[in-house]
């Protein structure tokens, strides 16, 4: 009698992956087998719940395999597995400490799989996992849960922002921080919020409020986590965005070239399709409007109260447990808040006094924080003692050159933000250091001198004012700004953009053959309206014509001013009273006309990104004098960049120490390294042929047959060379004749003329 063959259904009991595959294909036929396996799962689970610690290894393995099997096919039998997710969550919540490691990870993975199959929703999953994340002692489980929670939130916000889920999780994190401020569990709220902020999933005020509460906590790790978020969270977000854009760079030309030459397979076609999808996604992202990613500092609800509470709780409080490095980070946050929002925290400046000594560790960070906390609304009486102490402690003949240059640089950064903090005597004393033999001290003193030539030339001696400042003082163009005085709110360089738009408009009209003069503007309106939409042309002509008239009136005003200025400077003391009333009326008229001309473009137009880019270009052209030599132009551009530093950018200790590096006596190797650092753009010298080869290799192209033959191994060419030498005269003639015929028909492939 032959051996009986075992049927497929008889082996199903011991082969769960095979049964899973068959259920996927035909759920109805295998329902009884699934119910049988589900009954085994329930019996194993009851045995485990009765004695979690004494379960055998075989029982744990069987339970783990059954959990994995049921979670994969649960969507095929929703009625039978209705209570399966709740049982898993109950088992994980109650016994996560006693569960075996692999079984615990399998239960977490099964819950995530059920979420992907939409058997449970995201809030249910996160409410089950997050309490375990904050309470479990297992480091591996905490890492796993954190990754799963973060992945689920990213998936839920992939296509559109899931506001309901985000609000739920943000409320949980906020309550976690405010319920017990001394608990270290709030650190998970900080980590999760910072990671989601970095990935631009949470960009609203609620996330900033969570980190604000973390900064005001009592636990040191939670406090520093919140403070570091404000100091570096925006930079991390920008770096993450840059990395994601760099990773998506695909050389489509190289792939097409390889696909046309190499053997065509399904795998290579699939790679090409994926590359095309990435390129199309990148193009769609370019066309999308740029997201308004506000800085965390701008999303704070009450920056004044936050800065005061932070300063009083962590810096002024003698019972604070923070060390010096942590206090310095808190101080940097407070100073950035004060400087950015122009807050008034007067007790902050007296706090700096005890740290302004050269022997203080990290003193340059304290100097940078003091400069950051300075703004035009800080009373000069409060800043003057600080500037005086920095000058006394750092800037003297007995001080080291690095110390003096750092002190002068710090004083300059303070005076950039509040020029009234300096008095005449101290300024003239500090300016004398421009004659120092040390290069760092000399450059720092010249920087201070250049600053006050712009903002307070009347405080300098006549010989130190310079030509432009002296002329400005004599003509009355440069005046000392009083405390609390603010410039009129306007977009810098808007008049340049308006003038450029008018020139472009006239150039287009001239190109169409229309008269470009102002008086003939009405004549060409009808032709313009035929070309474009009616409302666009009407708004465009009315705006630009009005703007042009305002510019013309400005020119007339400037001419009248320049004509009136000459006699006014000569007779300023003789006829002071008679022209005052007329001057007041003229000033009122000028101010009204100036306001009208400034607000014309800003209030009637929405500036597009192209307009803003052109505005930035026009600003740079206007700021740097092109008539200057190259060396002076570079220096002027550098000074302009320093003055136009964005208000959100922090002032670091490295910038305070920048000029101190010039004071050190560098060795020859250091000088050579410094010179090479400044010439990073210069590439290594290569021949033309080497550059062509490098370009070919970068494009993924191959070499010619002659180049391949040149690089061929000598022993591989030896046989062919010997064969050529042994040819007879008849064979040589036959080979030459074949070579000529092959050349006529276009080579071996005969592709001539194709």
């Amino acid at each position: 009698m032959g051996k009986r063959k075992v049927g497929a259904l008889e082996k199903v009991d011991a082969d769960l992956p095979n049964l899973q595959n068959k259920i996927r294909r035909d759920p109805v036929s295998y329902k009884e087998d699934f119910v049988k396996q589900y009954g085994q799962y329930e019996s194993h689970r009851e045995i485990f719940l009765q004695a979690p610690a004494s379960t055998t290894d075989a029982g744990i393995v069987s339970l783990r395999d059954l959990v994995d099997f049921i979670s994969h096919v649960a969507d095929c039998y929703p009625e039978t597995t209705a209570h399966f997710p709740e049982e898993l969550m109950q088992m994980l919540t109650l016994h996560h400490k006693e569960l075996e490691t692999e079984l615990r990870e399998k239960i977490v993975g099964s819950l995530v799989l059920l979420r992907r199959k939409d058997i449970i929703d995201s809030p249910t999953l996160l409410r089950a996992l997050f309490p375990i994340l904050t309470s479990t002692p297992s480091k591996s489980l905490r890492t796993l849960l954190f990754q799963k929670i973060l992945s689920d939130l990213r998936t839920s916000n992939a296509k559109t922002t899931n506001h309901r889920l985000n609000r739920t999780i943000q409320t949980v994190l906020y309550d976690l921080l405010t319920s017990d401020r001394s608990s270290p569990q709030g650190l998970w709220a900080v980590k999760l919020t910072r990671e989601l902020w970095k990935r631009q999933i949470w960009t609203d005020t609620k996330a900033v409020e969570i980190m604000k509460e973390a900064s005001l906590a009592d636990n040191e790790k939670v406090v520093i986590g919140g403070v570091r978020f404000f100091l570096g969270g925006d930079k991390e977000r920008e770096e993450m965005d840059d990395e994601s854009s760099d990773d998506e760079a695909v050389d489509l030309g190289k792939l097409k070239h390889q696909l046309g030459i190499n053997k065509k397979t399904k795998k290579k076609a699939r790679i090409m399709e994926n590359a095309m999808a990435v390129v199309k996604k990148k193009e769609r992202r370019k066309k999308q409007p740029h997201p308004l990613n506000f800085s965390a500092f701008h999303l704070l609800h009450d920056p004044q109260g936050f800065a005061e509470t932070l300063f009083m709780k962590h810096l002024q409080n003698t019972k604070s447990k923070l060390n010096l490095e942590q206090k310095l980070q808190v101080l940097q946050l407070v100073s950035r808040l004060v400087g950015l929002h122009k807050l008034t925290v007067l007790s902050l400046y007296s706090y700096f006094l005890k740290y302004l000594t050269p022997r203080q560790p990290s003193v340059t960070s304290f100097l940078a924080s003091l400069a950051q906390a300075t703004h035009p609304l800080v009373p000069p009486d409060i800043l003057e003692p600080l500037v005086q102490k920095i000058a006394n402690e750092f800037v003297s003949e007995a001080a080291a050159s690095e110390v003096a240059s750092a002190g002068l640089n710090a004083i300059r950064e303070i005076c950039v933000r509040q020029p009234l903090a300096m008095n005449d005597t101290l300024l003239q004393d500090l300016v004398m250091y421009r004659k120092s033999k040390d290069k760092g001290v000399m450059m720092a003193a010249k920087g201070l001198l250049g600053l006050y030539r712009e903002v307070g030339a009347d405080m300098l001696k006549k010989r130190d004012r310079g030509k432009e400042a002296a002329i400005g003082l004599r003509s009355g163009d440069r005046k000392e700004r009083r405390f609390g005085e603010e410039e009129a709110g306007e977009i810098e360089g808007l008049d340049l953009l308006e003038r450029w738009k008018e020139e472009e408009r006239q150039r287009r009209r001239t190109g169409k053959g229309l008269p470009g003069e102002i008086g003939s503007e009405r004549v060409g309106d009808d032709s313009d309206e035929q070309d474009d939409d009616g409302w666009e042309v009407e708004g465009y002509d009315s705006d630009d014509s009005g703007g042009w008239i305002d510019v013309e009136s400005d020119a007339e005003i400037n001419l009248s001013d320049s004509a009136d200025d000459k006699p006014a400077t000569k007779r300023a003391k003789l006829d002071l009273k008679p022209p005052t009333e007329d001057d007041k009326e003229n000033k009122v008229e000028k101010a009204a006309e100036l306001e009208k001309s400034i607000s014309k473009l800003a209030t009637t137009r929405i500036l597009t990104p192209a307009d803003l880019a052109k505005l930035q270009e026009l600003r740079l052209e206007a700021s740097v004098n092109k008539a200057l030599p190259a060396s002076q132009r570079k220096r002027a551009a550098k000074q302009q960049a320093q003055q136009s530093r964005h208000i959100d950018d922090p002032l670091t200790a490295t910038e305070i120490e920048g000029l101190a590096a010039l004071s050190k006596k560098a060795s020859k190797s250091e000088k050579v390294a410094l010179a090479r650092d400044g010439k990073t753009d210069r590439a290594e010298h290569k021949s033309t042929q080497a550059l062509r080869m490098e370009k070919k290799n970068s494009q993924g192209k191959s070499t010619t047959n002659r180049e391949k033959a040149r690089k061929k191994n000598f022993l591989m060419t030896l046989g062919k060379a010997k064969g050529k030498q042994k040819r007879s005269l008849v064979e040589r003639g036959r080979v030459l004749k074949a070579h000529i015929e092959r050349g006529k028909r276009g080579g071996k492939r005969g592709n001539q003329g194709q």
Side-chain angles (χ1 to χ4, degrees):
M1 186 177 176
K3 190 175 180 180
R4 189 177 69 87
K5 293 183 179 180
V6 180
L9 292 177
E10 297 179 20
K11 296 191 295 184
V12 147
D13 294 344
D15 192 2
L16 291 178
N18 187 21
L19 178 59
Q20 176 184 328
N21 186 28
K22 292 180 181 298
I23 289 175
R24 279 283 170 205
R25 295 180 180 180
D26 189 5
V28 179
S29 302
Y30 291 91
K31 185 173 182 180
E32 294 181 1
D33 298 302
F34 174 77
V35 172
K36 185 177 179 182
Q37 297 297 331
Y38 194 77
Q40 290 186 9
Y41 153 74
E42 288 183 338
S43 61
H44 279 292
R45 186 178 66 87
E46 290 176 359
I47 294 171
F48 173 79
L49 292 177
Q50 289 176 1
S54 60
T55 308
T56 61
D57 294 341
I60 291 175
V61 171
S62 300
L63 180 61
R64 186 178 65 215
D65 293 341
L66 288 168
V67 166
D68 185 31
F69 165 71
I70 295 172
S71 61
H72 276 86
V73 296
D75 54 332
C76 298
Y77 309 104
E79 296 179 357
T80 309
T81 60
H83 301 289
F84 178 67
E86 297 178 3
E87 293 171 355
L88 289 183
M89 287 187 280
Q90 182 184 7
M91 191 187 307
L92 185 64
T93 305
L94 297 177
H95 305 287
H96 62 86
K97 295 180 181 179
E98 296 88 3
L99 281 172
E100 191 258 343
T101 306
E102 294 184 4
L103 177 59
R104 188 172 58 194
E105 292 179 358
K106 183 61 69 177
I107 293 175
V108 173
S110 300
L111 287 172
V112 175
L113 182 61
L114 294 175
R115 163 67 191 96
R116 289 178 183 172
K117 293 176 179 292
D118 290 331
I119 297 175
I120 59 175
D121 55 356
S122 286
T124 304
L125 175 65
L126 296 176
R127 278 196 294 266
L129 298 184
F130 195 77
I132 304 173
L133 173 67
T134 58
S135 61
T136 180
S138 174
K139 186 177 180 180
S140 60
L141 181 59
R142 288 198 301 264
T143 306
L144 177 65
L145 292 176
F146 182 76
Q147 291 174 354
K148 297 299 183 183
I149 291 172
L150 184 63
S151 175
D152 185 70
L153 286 171
R154 288 181 62 188
T155 306
S156 302
N157 291 274
K159 295 182 179 179
T160 56
T161 305
N162 193 340
H163 294 287
R164 184 177 180 183
L165 176 63
N166 291 342
R167 284 196 300 269
T168 303
I169 302 303
Q170 286 169 351
T171 305
V172 171
L173 299 182
Y174 188 85
D175 294 340
L176 180 66
L177 285 166
T178 54
S179 59
D180 187 5
R181 294 187 177 274
S182 59
S183 174
Q185 294 180 356
L187 192 60
W188 290 107
V190 173
K191 288 183 178 180
L192 192 60
T193 307
R194 186 166 185 173
E195 193 68 26
L196 293 170
W197 179 272
K198 183 171 71 174
R199 298 179 184 276
Q200 299 187 18
I201 298 172
W202 287 359
T203 56
D204 54 350
T205 56
K206 190 71 174 178
V208 178
E209 288 296 318
I210 292 172
M211 302 308 284
K212 174 184 172 182
E213 293 297 328
S215 303
L216 299 175
D218 295 332
N219 187 275
E220 296 85 354
K221 292 184 179 180
V222 179
V223 171
I224 296 305
V227 170
R228 284 177 178 170
F229 166 78
F230 285 103
L231 294 178
D234 298 325
K235 188 176 180 181
E236 286 180 355
R237 184 171 61 179
E238 293 173 1
E239 292 174 355
M240 189 80 179
D241 194 17
D242 294 340
E243 288 176 5
S244 62
S245 60
D246 293 341
D247 292 342
E248 292 179 358
V250 177
D251 192 351
L252 206 58
K254 182 178 179 180
L255 289 174
K256 286 182 178 179
H257 179 75
Q258 291 176 350
L259 193 64
I261 291 176
N262 299 334
K263 184 179 179 181
K264 296 177 177 62
T265 60
K266 289 184 178 180
K267 181 180 178 181
K268 291 176 182 177
R270 193 163 54 249
I271 292 173
M272 189 66 188
E273 289 176 1
N274 295 336
M276 289 291 294
V278 170
V279 171
K280 288 180 180 178
K281 182 180 178 182
K282 198 172 182 180
E283 290 296 326
R284 284 197 305 269
R285 186 177 295 179
K286 282 183 180 178
K287 294 178 182 178
Q288 288 177 353
H290 185 71
L292 297 175
N293 293 330
F294 290 102
S295 171
F297 289 103
H298 296 289
L299 296 176
L300 283 168
H301 177 62
D302 182 18
Q304 177 72 39
F306 179 45
E308 290 179 353
T309 309
L310 203 63
F311 178 65
M312 293 172 61
K313 187 170 186 177
H314 298 308
L315 297 178
Q316 276 190 330
N317 188 9
T318 55
K319 296 181 180 179
S320 177
K321 298 179 182 179
L322 302 179
N323 56 30
L324 180 63
E325 183 180 356
Q326 294 170 342
K327 284 186 176 181
L328 187 55
Q329 291 180 347
V330 176
L331 183 62
Q332 289 172 354
L333 174 56
V334 175
S335 62
R336 286 194 66 185
L337 284 169
V338 172
L340 181 62
H341 294 282
K342 296 184 180 179
L343 309 177
T344 304
V345 186
L346 299 181
S347 55
L348 172 65
Y349 303 98
S350 59
Y351 178 80
F352 281 101
L353 281 171
K354 59 182 178 182
Y355 295 107
L356 298 180
T357 58
R359 294 175 296 279
Q360 172 66 40
S362 305
V363 66
T364 49
S365 298
F366 283 101
L367 292 172
S369 300
L370 174 59
Q372 278 187 140
T374 307
H375 55 84
L377 300 182
V378 180
D381 299 339
I382 294 177
L383 292 174
E384 198 167 340
L386 293 168
V387 174
Q388 189 70 48
K389 181 165 185 183
I390 295 173
N392 295 338
E393 293 281 348
F394 290 83
V395 188
S396 66
E397 296 293 340
S401 55
E402 294 89 350
V403 175
S405 60
L408 284 169
N409 206 12
I411 291 174
R412 182 189 177 278
E413 292 293 341
I414 294 172
C415 295
V416 163
R417 294 158 173 80
Q418 178 54 286
L420 301 177
M422 179 72 69
N423 56 52
D424 303 359
T425 308
L426 181 59
L427 177 61
Q428 293 169 8
D429 185 22
L430 296 177
V431 164
M432 293 297 292
Y433 282 91
R434 74 185 188 279
K435 298 180 181 179
S436 174
K437 295 181 180 179
D438 185 81
K439 191 172 182 180
V441 178
M442 177 194 68
M443 294 292 290
K446 282 187 175 181
L448 186 63
L449 175 62
L451 170 67
Y452 273 91
R453 281 179 176 175
E454 295 290 332
V455 299
D458 54 338
M459 298 173 66
L460 296 168
K461 293 182 179 179
K462 288 186 178 180
R463 65 171 181 267
D464 297 332
R465 291 175 181 173
K467 182 179 179 181
E468 293 181 3
I471 293 174
L473 284 176
R474 197 176 300 120
S475 62
D477 293 339
R478 296 196 179 186
K479 297 179 181 179
E480 182 182 1
R481 184 179 295 180
R482 295 174 295 179
F483 173 66
E485 183 180 356
E486 292 285 344
E487 294 182 355
E490 62 179 21
I491 301 175
E492 183 184 356
L494 194 62
D495 54 341
L496 300 173
L497 181 63
E498 191 172 3
R499 195 178 306 129
W500 177 80
K501 278 181 172 291
E502 179 62 30
E503 291 173 358
E504 286 293 311
R505 176 179 169 278
Q506 288 197 356
R507 185 180 59 79
R508 286 197 302 268
R509 291 175 64 87
T510 306
K512 290 180 181 179
L514 299 173
E517 297 295 330
I518 303 171
S520 59
E521 185 177 348
R522 295 179 178 272
V523 180
D525 282 347
D526 297 335
S527 59
D528 286 346
E529 288 175 0
Q530 294 174 2
D531 294 338
D532 298 327
D533 296 336
W535 64 274
E536 287 185 355
V537 174
E538 187 177 357
Y540 190 90
D541 288 341
S542 63
D543 284 350
D544 285 353
S545 61
W548 176 258
I549 293 171
D550 290 334
V551 172
E552 189 182 51
S553 63
D554 289 344
E556 292 176 359
I557 291 170
N558 290 333
L559 288 173
S560 63
D561 285 347
S562 60
D564 293 341
D565 280 345
K566 293 179 181 178
T569 53
K570 294 180 180 179
R571 305 179 186 178
K573 294 183 179 179
L574 296 176
D575 47 358
L576 186 62
K577 291 184 179 179
T580 51
E581 296 180 359
D582 297 335
D583 289 342
K584 287 181 180 178
E585 293 178 359
N586 291 335
K587 285 181 180 179
V588 172
E589 292 177 1
K590 291 176 188 176
E593 292 177 358
L594 184 62
E595 182 181 356
K596 183 179 178 182
S597 64
I598 289 173
S599 62
K600 193 70 177 177
L601 186 63
T603 56
T604 57
R605 285 295 180 89
I606 297 176
L607 297 180
T608 63
D611 290 339
L612 296 175
K614 188 64 182 178
L615 180 61
Q616 182 67 18
E617 181 184 343
L618 293 172
R619 283 179 192 163
L620 290 175
E621 289 181 0
S623 62
V624 180
N625 189 1
K626 293 185 177 180
L628 292 174
S631 59
Q632 297 183 19
R633 195 185 309 161
K634 186 177 179 181
R635 188 184 307 165
K638 189 175 181 180
Q639 291 177 358
Q640 182 69 20
Q642 289 178 353
Q643 291 176 2
S644 62
R645 182 216 303 266
H646 198 274
I647 193 170
D648 287 349
D649 296 338
L651 180 66
T652 60
T654 308
E655 297 176 17
I656 298 293
E657 299 169 0
L659 297 174
L662 301 174
S663 301
K664 299 177 182 177
K665 292 184 178 180
S667 60
K668 184 177 179 181
S669 59
E670 292 176 348
K671 290 179 180 178
V672 171
L674 185 63
R676 284 177 179 172
D677 289 340
K679 299 176 182 178
T680 52
D681 296 338
R682 181 179 294 179
E684 183 183 357
H685 176 71
K686 293 181 180 179
S687 63
T688 307
Q689 190 174 4
L691 291 174
R692 287 175 182 169
M693 287 293 299
E694 187 177 350
K695 184 178 179 182
K696 269 188 174 183
N697 293 333
S698 64
Q699 293 175 351
K701 296 180 180 178
S702 181
T703 56
T704 62
N705 290 336
R706 183 173 295 179
E707 290 170 347
K708 289 174 181 174
R710 191 186 305 129
K711 294 181 180 180
K712 202 168 187 179
N713 191 0
F714 174 71
L715 294 175
M716 296 176 69
T717 61
L718 197 58
K720 189 175 182 180
K722 287 181 179 179
K724 285 183 178 181
Q725 291 176 359
K726 294 179 181 179
R727 285 176 186 168
S728 64
L729 189 60
V730 176
E731 288 177 346
R732 288 185 180 180
R734 190 184 301 119
V735 169
L736 288 173
K737 187 177 180 180
H739 174 71
I740 293 170
E741 291 178 355
R742 189 165 55 246
K744 287 181 180 179
R745 69 172 182 263
K748 288 183 179 180
R749 298 181 180 179
N751 54 3
Q752 187 176 14
Q754 292 182 0

